[in-house]
PDB file of all heavy atoms in Angstrom:
ATOM      1  N   ASP A  40      33.112 -43.020 109.979  1.00 94.00           N
ATOM      2  CA  ASP A  40      33.624 -41.999 109.053  1.00 94.00           C
ATOM      3  C   ASP A  40      34.034 -42.582 107.707  1.00 94.00           C
ATOM      4  O   ASP A  40      34.603 -41.907 106.866  1.00 94.00           O
ATOM      5  CB  ASP A  40      34.811 -41.262 109.681  1.00 94.00           C
ATOM      6  CG  ASP A  40      35.994 -42.174 109.948  1.00 94.00           C
ATOM      7  OD1 ASP A  40      35.782 -43.404 110.075  1.00 94.00           O
ATOM      8  OD2 ASP A  40      37.133 -41.667 110.027  1.00 94.00           O
ATOM      9  N   LYS A  41      33.737 -43.863 107.484  1.00 96.00           N
ATOM     10  CA  LYS A  41      34.071 -44.516 106.211  1.00 96.00           C
ATOM     11  C   LYS A  41      32.804 -45.105 105.596  1.00 96.00           C
ATOM     12  O   LYS A  41      31.813 -45.360 106.283  1.00 96.00           O
ATOM     13  CB  LYS A  41      35.066 -45.660 106.435  1.00 96.00           C
ATOM     14  CG  LYS A  41      36.348 -45.249 107.125  1.00 96.00           C
ATOM     15  CD  LYS A  41      37.431 -44.943 106.147  1.00 96.00           C
ATOM     16  CE  LYS A  41      38.683 -44.515 106.936  1.00 96.00           C
ATOM     17  NZ  LYS A  41      39.886 -44.744 106.248  1.00 96.00           N
ATOM     18  N   VAL A  42      32.864 -45.326 104.295  1.00 96.00           N
ATOM     19  CA  VAL A  42      31.800 -46.033 103.581  1.00 96.00           C
ATOM     20  C   VAL A  42      32.454 -47.252 102.932  1.00 96.00           C
ATOM     21  O   VAL A  42      33.467 -47.122 102.233  1.00 96.00           O
ATOM     22  CB  VAL A  42      31.148 -45.144 102.502  1.00 96.00           C
ATOM     23  CG1 VAL A  42      30.076 -45.907 101.744  1.00 96.00           C
ATOM     24  CG2 VAL A  42      30.560 -43.880 103.122  1.00 96.00           C
ATOM     25  N   LEU A  43      31.899 -48.424 103.209  1.00 96.00           N
ATOM     26  CA  LEU A  43      32.407 -49.653 102.614  1.00 96.00           C
ATOM     27  C   LEU A  43      31.597 -49.931 101.348  1.00 96.00           C
ATOM     28  O   LEU A  43      30.371 -50.045 101.396  1.00 96.00           O
ATOM     29  CB  LEU A  43      32.282 -50.825 103.589  1.00 96.00           C
ATOM     30  CG  LEU A  43      32.784 -52.175 103.077  1.00 96.00           C
ATOM     31  CD1 LEU A  43      34.283 -52.118 102.774  1.00 96.00           C
ATOM     32  CD2 LEU A  43      32.480 -53.269 104.090  1.00 96.00           C
ATOM     33  N   LEU A  44      32.282 -50.032 100.232  1.00 96.00           N
ATOM     34  CA  LEU A  44      31.631 -50.230  98.940  1.00 96.00           C
ATOM     35  C   LEU A  44      31.894 -51.651  98.446  1.00 96.00           C
ATOM     36  O   LEU A  44      33.044 -52.102  98.437  1.00 96.00           O
ATOM     37  CB  LEU A  44      32.166 -49.235  97.909  1.00 96.00           C
ATOM     38  CG  LEU A  44      32.067 -47.749  98.286  1.00 96.00           C
ATOM     39  CD1 LEU A  44      32.744 -46.896  97.232  1.00 96.00           C
ATOM     40  CD2 LEU A  44      30.620 -47.336  98.476  1.00 96.00           C
ATOM     41  N   THR A  45      30.832 -52.330  98.053  1.00 96.00           N
ATOM     42  CA  THR A  45      30.973 -53.629  97.394  1.00 96.00           C
ATOM     43  C   THR A  45      30.763 -53.381  95.912  1.00 96.00           C
ATOM     44  O   THR A  45      29.665 -53.019  95.480  1.00 96.00           O
ATOM     45  CB  THR A  45      29.951 -54.642  97.939  1.00 96.00           C
ATOM     46  OG1 THR A  45      30.154 -54.777  99.350  1.00 96.00           O
ATOM     47  CG2 THR A  45      30.129 -55.995  97.271  1.00 96.00           C
ATOM     48  N   LEU A  46      31.827 -53.531  95.150  1.00 94.00           N
ATOM     49  CA  LEU A  46      31.847 -53.168  93.739  1.00 94.00           C
ATOM     50  C   LEU A  46      31.991 -54.420  92.885  1.00 94.00           C
ATOM     51  O   LEU A  46      32.525 -55.431  93.333  1.00 94.00           O
ATOM     52  CB  LEU A  46      33.019 -52.232  93.463  1.00 94.00           C
ATOM     53  CG  LEU A  46      33.021 -50.946  94.300  1.00 94.00           C
ATOM     54  CD1 LEU A  46      34.403 -50.658  94.813  1.00 94.00           C
ATOM     55  CD2 LEU A  46      32.509 -49.792  93.483  1.00 94.00           C
ATOM     56  N   LEU A  47      31.547 -54.315  91.661  1.00 93.00           N
ATOM     57  CA  LEU A  47      31.648 -55.437  90.724  1.00 93.00           C
ATOM     58  C   LEU A  47      32.618 -55.080  89.618  1.00 93.00           C
ATOM     59  O   LEU A  47      32.516 -54.015  89.006  1.00 93.00           O
ATOM     60  CB  LEU A  47      30.273 -55.754  90.127  1.00 93.00           C
ATOM     61  CG  LEU A  47      30.237 -56.861  89.065  1.00 93.00           C
ATOM     62  CD1 LEU A  47      30.557 -58.222  89.688  1.00 93.00           C
ATOM     63  CD2 LEU A  47      28.883 -56.911  88.379  1.00 93.00           C
ATOM     64  N   ASN A  48      33.550 -55.977  89.371  1.00 86.00           N
ATOM     65  CA  ASN A  48      34.423 -55.854  88.207  1.00 86.00           C
ATOM     66  C   ASN A  48      33.729 -56.597  87.066  1.00 86.00           C
ATOM     67  O   ASN A  48      33.731 -57.823  87.035  1.00 86.00           O
ATOM     68  CB  ASN A  48      35.791 -56.484  88.505  1.00 86.00           C
ATOM     69  CG  ASN A  48      36.741 -56.354  87.330  1.00 86.00           C
ATOM     70  OD1 ASN A  48      36.327 -56.201  86.188  1.00 86.00           O
ATOM     71  ND2 ASN A  48      38.032 -56.433  87.620  1.00 86.00           N
ATOM     72  N   PRO A  49      33.067 -55.866  86.145  1.00 79.00           N
ATOM     73  CA  PRO A  49      32.290 -56.540  85.096  1.00 79.00           C
ATOM     74  C   PRO A  49      33.142 -57.427  84.200  1.00 79.00           C
ATOM     75  O   PRO A  49      32.672 -58.442  83.699  1.00 79.00           O
ATOM     76  CB  PRO A  49      31.673 -55.391  84.298  1.00 79.00           C
ATOM     77  CG  PRO A  49      31.848 -54.174  85.120  1.00 79.00           C
ATOM     78  CD  PRO A  49      33.018 -54.419  86.020  1.00 79.00           C
ATOM     79  N   GLU A  50      34.405 -57.050  84.008  1.00 79.00           N
ATOM     80  CA  GLU A  50      35.281 -57.820  83.121  1.00 79.00           C
ATOM     81  C   GLU A  50      35.508 -59.231  83.675  1.00 79.00           C
ATOM     82  O   GLU A  50      35.491 -60.209  82.944  1.00 79.00           O
ATOM     83  CB  GLU A  50      36.618 -57.093  82.961  1.00 79.00           C
ATOM     84  CG  GLU A  50      37.545 -57.755  81.978  1.00 79.00           C
ATOM     85  CD  GLU A  50      38.861 -57.006  81.847  1.00 79.00           C
ATOM     86  OE1 GLU A  50      39.066 -55.989  82.535  1.00 79.00           O
ATOM     87  OE2 GLU A  50      39.691 -57.468  81.044  1.00 79.00           O
ATOM     88  N   LYS A  51      35.689 -59.325  84.995  1.00 80.00           N
ATOM     89  CA  LYS A  51      35.956 -60.623  85.622  1.00 80.00           C
ATOM     90  C   LYS A  51      34.729 -61.170  86.346  1.00 80.00           C
ATOM     91  O   LYS A  51      34.782 -62.264  86.906  1.00 80.00           O
ATOM     92  CB  LYS A  51      37.119 -60.492  86.602  1.00 80.00           C
ATOM     93  CG  LYS A  51      38.410 -60.082  85.918  1.00 80.00           C
ATOM     94  CD  LYS A  51      39.541 -59.959  86.907  1.00 80.00           C
ATOM     95  CE  LYS A  51      40.826 -59.567  86.172  1.00 80.00           C
ATOM     96  NZ  LYS A  51      41.943 -59.368  87.084  1.00 80.00           N
TER      97      LYS A  51
END
Side-chain angles (χ1 to χ4, degrees):
D40 63 337
K41 303 265 179 154
V42 178
L43 180 62
L44 304 175
T45 301
L46 303 136
L47 177 68
N48 181 337
E50 185 180 1
K51 298 180 179 177

